Amino acid sequence: MFARLFCWTVATAVMTAPALAEDGYDLWLRHEKVRDGGNLARHAAAVVAPGRSATALAARDELMRGLAGANGAAPALVEKPMNGAIWLATPASAPDLPVKLDGLGEEGYAIRSVTLDGQSVTVIAANGDAGLLYGAYAYLRLAETGASLDRLDIRSAPRMKLRLLNHWDNLDGTVERGYAGQSIWDWWRLPDWKGPRYTDYARANASIGINGTVLNNVNARSDSLTAPYIAKAAALADVFRPYGIKVYLSVKWTAPMELSGLRTADPLDPAVAAWWKAKAAEIYRAIPDFGGFLVKANSEGQPGPQDYKRTHADGANMLAAAVKPHGGIVMWRAFVYAHDNPDDRAKQAYSDFKPLDGQFADNVLVQVKNGAIDFQPREPFHPLFGAMPRTPLMMEFQITKEYLGQSTHLTYLGPLFEETLKSDTFARGKGSTVARVIDGSLEGHKLTGIAGVANIGADRDWSGSIFNQADWYAFGRLAWDPDLSAEAIAREWAAQTFSTDAKVVDPIVAMMMGSREAAVDYMTPLGLSHVMGTGHHYGPAPWISELARPEWNPVYYHKADAQGIGFDRTKTGSNAIAQYAPPVAKMLADPKKTPERDLLWFHHVGWDAKLKSGDTLWNGLIRHYDAGVAYVAAMRRTWDGLRPHVDAERFAQTQAFLGIQHREAKWWRDASIAYFQTLSKRPMPPGTAAPEHDLNWYKSLAFPYAPGNP
Ligand code: BDP
């Protein structure tokens, strides 16, 4: 029974040594020794892992590495299942696996405690090797979050087929809307130098189920499609492949003109189609499992098929035909609005795309941002969700916090993601949630996906702060299972990142869970949006009114005047509400029935109108601003109380950042009030503080070097 022991060197199992003990490099994969009364030692003293593919070996190594850390000793690597062993296998590598795998697809996994010849064994099984990887990580997650490992019977398969990061990384090393340093892609030294960080990136993504990455900015340069850059992308693809991760590229519509001197980029021109076919073939020669293209076209100055009087579907289908023979897909973004279109910006994507439903090729997904404007602290769900039943819609969330405090604010995005995914579109009656639109179950789509704009950079801690790592983590977990709760995910993350001790996890999770709402309160309460500074989008500037394009100006969005504030999107205004299914539209037509959190998104409301609290709108606004600031003050106190339980380095970073957040929350509040008061002409409600400075002081602030600004 006892098999030959394989030699296992722990050295190969340790993640690239961090420069400092707890600088955040290890993310949620710290694999600290668990205090579980021997739970893990009993169940994971040995590992049987017969698979020999690169992915099966990666799964084995990750499991060994994790167990070595969590259990404090490397498990034995054995050839046959034995008492207290984990058996990590697919039916191909172990035909006698005692677990049913039907319905789990290639990426799903089963984890089961079984008894074999009187020996208790934990089976981690999957149809495909990627499933083994996900199963191995799932097992470690259970062990490291304190779950019992005695009687496991888990089956899990991803609800979304494509679970992608979108990097807005430029070839010069900058990252559009990146707040975690320079790009992690060292384009210049690729393909020769493939630093260890790429492997750790892949491991981190695989651990949360992410299976694809778009390497370059949606505002793409055509250079990405030249031979040298294809070779660089291929080098990255080689590193990522064992971890189940495919690479994709953003493409610039006019690449055939820029790179090969074609006279047009008209998608219906045969020469253009032939160019893309040849380009696709060239890419697939270098990257046989290349995922496909992401396209931003006819949006914010980017060229596109509309320049040739063709539709988005014409453009998407031409590219789709080029990658189709190779099994590739096209993700066509619906983030479009035009300066010469006087209609409400929130309506334009729907107006452009809804009529195209049913016209897209079967390897095209339309990628839609969670809301109709642009990743604001809160947006109602995008009206396209549920409105294009014959087209697979892919969700685009923003993990990087362009509008939510950038790198320093602790604003956990789990609740934002969850709120959108659980929103009911009523497209096919009650229960037609956004999650069911994008996971394909509502309309029976097989091609499904979700993308998150990455918050990853070259900073040691990857994401610009320890707490921003939780947003990356939450995105991956929800991409796998959009029904998970943001709170459960925060618990998992905190347990793996800090400690399983309830004294640590409980207060950290409590801080996280209210933090996004606090940011909404101090930035854009009650449905306000897009009131940030121009260009860098850092800090408040609701007074801006003179930019060339109307929809670049905050005043366009809040429409504050002497009477009140808010954007009338009902029949008397832009009638954007008509883009929602009738039950939703009906609710939104009435300010009294509109959820108060979205009130000013849909209605222009008088300063003295009564809120549910009994306050007037003006007083209520101020109470929201104050609540947001007070929440940050409370987070600072909670965090200070955690000093004995958190290592000095991560404690200090978070403490300093909470200090910045507190100062900036007050700034948001004060600047917003100072400006809106010039219109409302209402006094501060009793017991509230007047803004610290006058409006001109706030207007005079300038931030020429704010990061992330293209
Ligand atoms: C906005 C960003 C801009 C992006 C654009 C997009 O400000 O930098 O290029 O979205 O998604 O949020 O294309």
Side-chain angles (χ1 to χ4, degrees):
M1 183 89 229
F2 282 92
R4 180 161 60 92
L5 293 188
F6 283 80
C7 173
W8 176 259
T9 48
V10 176
T12 60
V14 178
M15 210 170 189
T16 317
L20 292 158
E22 292 286 5
D23 60 6
Y25 184 84
D26 289 344
L27 297 160
W28 49 88
L29 297 174
R30 292 166 64 248
H31 303 311
E32 281 268 282
K33 180 152 170 35
V34 293
R35 274 189 238 112
D36 64 354
N39 189 14
L40 195 56
R42 232 179 13 258
H43 294 290
V47 169
V48 191
R52 284 293 165 270
S53 74
T55 300
L57 292 175
R60 180 197 73 182
D61 290 356
E62 288 300 294
L63 186 63
M64 296 292 285
R65 177 201 311 246
L67 293 176
N71 198 16
L77 196 55
V78 298
E79 276 190 339
K80 291 218 177 85
M82 55 183 261
N83 203 36
I86 295 180
W87 189 6
L88 180 75
T90 61
S93 60
D96 48 345
L97 268 183
V99 176
K100 281 211 169 48
L101 297 169
D102 45 305
L104 291 177
E106 280 295 292
E107 293 183 307
Y109 59 83
I111 304 179
R112 240 183 118 201
S113 312
V114 298
T115 308
L116 299 174
D117 300 334
Q119 317 266 12
S120 77
V121 171
T122 306
V123 180
I124 304 178
N127 291 311
D129 290 332
L132 291 186
L133 198 55
Y134 300 135
Y137 286 119
Y139 183 85
L140 292 171
R141 190 158 54 234
L142 290 170
E144 292 172 3
T145 54
S148 161
L149 304 172
D150 286 339
R151 268 186 288 279
L152 295 174
D153 189 4
I154 294 169
R155 289 164 58 80
S156 183
R159 290 257 300 275
M160 245 80 70
K161 193 168 168 200
L162 308 173
R163 306 177 298 282
L164 266 52
L165 289 182
N166 287 182
H167 284 265
W168 285 0
D169 293 24
N170 299 315
L171 302 182
D172 65 2
T174 58
V175 181
E176 183 155 341
R177 310 311 177 185
Y179 311 102
Q182 293 285 101
S183 171
I184 53 167
W185 316 134
D186 187 351
W187 290 115
W188 191 249
R189 287 184 284 188
L190 279 165
D192 306 282
W193 170 236
K194 294 178 274 192
R197 198 163 179 145
Y198 300 143
T199 305
D200 291 335
Y201 165 86
R203 295 178 48 234
N205 279 321
S207 77
I208 49 175
I210 288 170
N211 66 358
T213 180
V214 182
L215 299 175
N216 59 323
N217 193 352
V218 287
N219 295 316
R221 303 291 296 254
S222 33
D223 308 64
S224 289
L225 296 175
T226 59
Y229 279 91
I230 292 172
K232 293 168 195 281
L236 291 174
D238 290 342
V239 177
F240 302 160
R241 190 168 295 112
Y243 297 91
I245 296 168
K246 286 186 181 180
V247 304
Y248 300 75
L249 290 172
S250 296
V251 295
K252 183 163 188 190
W253 186 254
T254 44
M257 300 167 75
E258 292 181 11
L259 297 181
S260 302
L262 267 64
R263 281 214 307 276
T264 176
D266 180 349
L268 301 192
D269 186 307
V272 173
W275 189 91
W276 283 106
K277 248 189 170 29
K279 186 51 75 181
E282 181 188 347
I283 295 173
Y284 278 94
R285 276 196 296 280
I287 313 172
D289 57 353
F290 178 67
F293 295 135
L294 172 64
V295 193
K296 172 174 179 177
N298 293 119
S299 163
E300 297 187 327
Q302 292 295 332
Q306 290 180 338
D307 303 343
Y308 308 92
K309 309 232 172 331
R310 312 296 185 197
T311 68
H312 287 290
D314 294 330
N317 294 346
M318 184 274 289
L319 285 182
V323 293
K324 175 116 185 169
H326 313 280
I329 55 116
V330 169
M331 297 161 289
W332 193 271
R333 296 177 87 226
F335 178 67
V336 297
Y337 61 99
H339 65 282
D340 50 0
N341 184 346
D343 204 1
D344 178 0
R345 171 173 166 190
K347 290 171 66 182
Q348 295 185 27
Y350 179 103
S351 306
D352 265 18
F353 278 85
K354 162 91 180 152
L356 302 176
D357 189 27
Q359 295 182 28
F360 290 95
D362 63 3
N363 57 334
V364 175
L365 296 109
V366 172
Q367 183 165 311
V368 183
K369 288 189 182 182
N370 58 292
I373 297 291
D374 190 12
F375 299 139
Q376 294 302 293
R378 166 165 284 128
E379 296 197 27
F381 72 87
H382 200 300
L384 275 174
F385 292 114
M388 294 183 67
R390 294 194 286 159
T391 310
L393 298 187
M394 185 161 174
M395 170 65 73
E396 180 176 314
F397 281 127
Q398 193 179 44
I399 309 172
T400 189
K401 293 193 299 205
E402 178 178 359
Y403 300 104
L404 275 135
Q406 305 191 347
S407 79
T408 50
H409 292 206
L410 196 168
T411 45
Y412 170 51
L413 299 183
L416 185 161
F417 301 155
E418 179 177 1
E419 181 177 302
T420 308
L421 292 166
K422 290 197 171 145
S423 293
D424 199 339
T425 69
F426 282 85
R428 286 189 176 267
K430 204 172 157 37
S432 307
T433 58
V434 170
R436 295 198 55 218
V437 172
I438 61 169
D439 77 3
S441 60
L442 197 66
E443 306 292 347
H445 292 297
K446 292 273 174 299
L447 183 58
T448 57
I450 180 166
V453 179
N455 66 352
I456 297 163
D459 279 6
R460 271 301 290 177
D461 65 19
W462 302 85
S463 301
S465 87
I466 300 300
F467 275 86
N468 289 343
Q469 298 173 355
D471 301 322
W472 177 9
Y473 183 89
F475 169 75
R477 300 287 289 130
L478 285 166
W480 184 276
D481 180 359
D483 288 340
L484 289 176
S485 80
E487 177 160 3
I489 294 170
R491 282 197 168 275
E492 275 180 9
W493 175 79
Q496 294 167 93
T497 302
F498 291 107
S499 152
T500 47
D501 188 343
K503 281 203 295 293
V504 178
V505 172
D506 291 350
I508 286 181
V509 171
M511 279 167 67
M512 290 167 76
M513 286 308 293
S515 59
R516 179 274 190 143
E517 197 63 45
V520 170
D521 275 339
Y522 62 71
M523 291 177 171
T524 51
L526 294 169
L528 289 176
S529 72
H530 212 286
V531 291
M532 67 288 159
T534 302
H536 48 64
H537 297 171
Y538 165 71
W543 46 83
I544 303 269
S545 64
E546 280 152 13
L547 302 174
R549 287 169 59 157
E551 80 286 350
W552 281 350
N553 293 291
V555 297
Y556 170 95
Y557 297 91
H558 62 67
K559 303 223 183 302
D561 55 23
Q563 282 71 48
I565 180 169
F567 199 126
D568 182 3
R569 295 192 159 104
T570 68
K571 258 206 280 223
T572 50
S574 76
N575 205 23
I577 61 167
Q579 296 182 335
Y580 289 101
V584 180
K586 195 166 157 221
M587 174 183 81
L588 298 176
D590 180 351
K592 294 219 160 47
K593 294 196 182 129
T594 302
E596 211 162 82
R597 66 185 196 194
D598 297 325
L599 185 63
L600 306 179
W601 185 280
F602 292 111
H603 303 280
H604 191 74
V605 182
W607 294 114
D608 297 323
K610 282 277 173 350
L611 296 175
K612 298 210 169 77
S613 61
D615 276 329
T616 63
L617 174 64
W618 170 249
N619 287 357
L621 260 183
I622 289 164
R623 299 218 187 277
H624 276 277
Y625 287 124
D626 279 335
V629 177
Y631 192 92
V632 182
M635 287 202 289
R636 293 181 79 178
R637 288 193 296 274
T638 304
W639 188 253
D640 285 346
L642 284 165
R643 186 194 290 269
H645 306 292
V646 178
D647 51 281
E649 203 179 341
R650 293 187 300 169
F651 180 83
Q653 187 208 59
T654 305
Q655 188 184 46
F657 285 5
L658 284 169
I660 296 172
Q661 184 176 6
H662 196 193
R663 185 178 72 228
E664 294 184 351
K666 280 197 260 187
W667 168 35
W668 270 94
R669 172 211 185 262
D670 287 355
S672 304
I673 294 172
Y675 167 69
F676 289 131
Q677 201 169 25
T678 63
L679 299 158
S680 79
K681 307 247 191 305
R682 303 298 192 271
M684 294 298 291
T688 61
E692 202 176 331
H693 302 278
D694 67 12
L695 181 58
N696 284 330
W697 187 87
Y698 296 107
K699 284 185 169 177
S700 71
L701 302 176
F703 306 96
Y705 306 115
N709 190 17

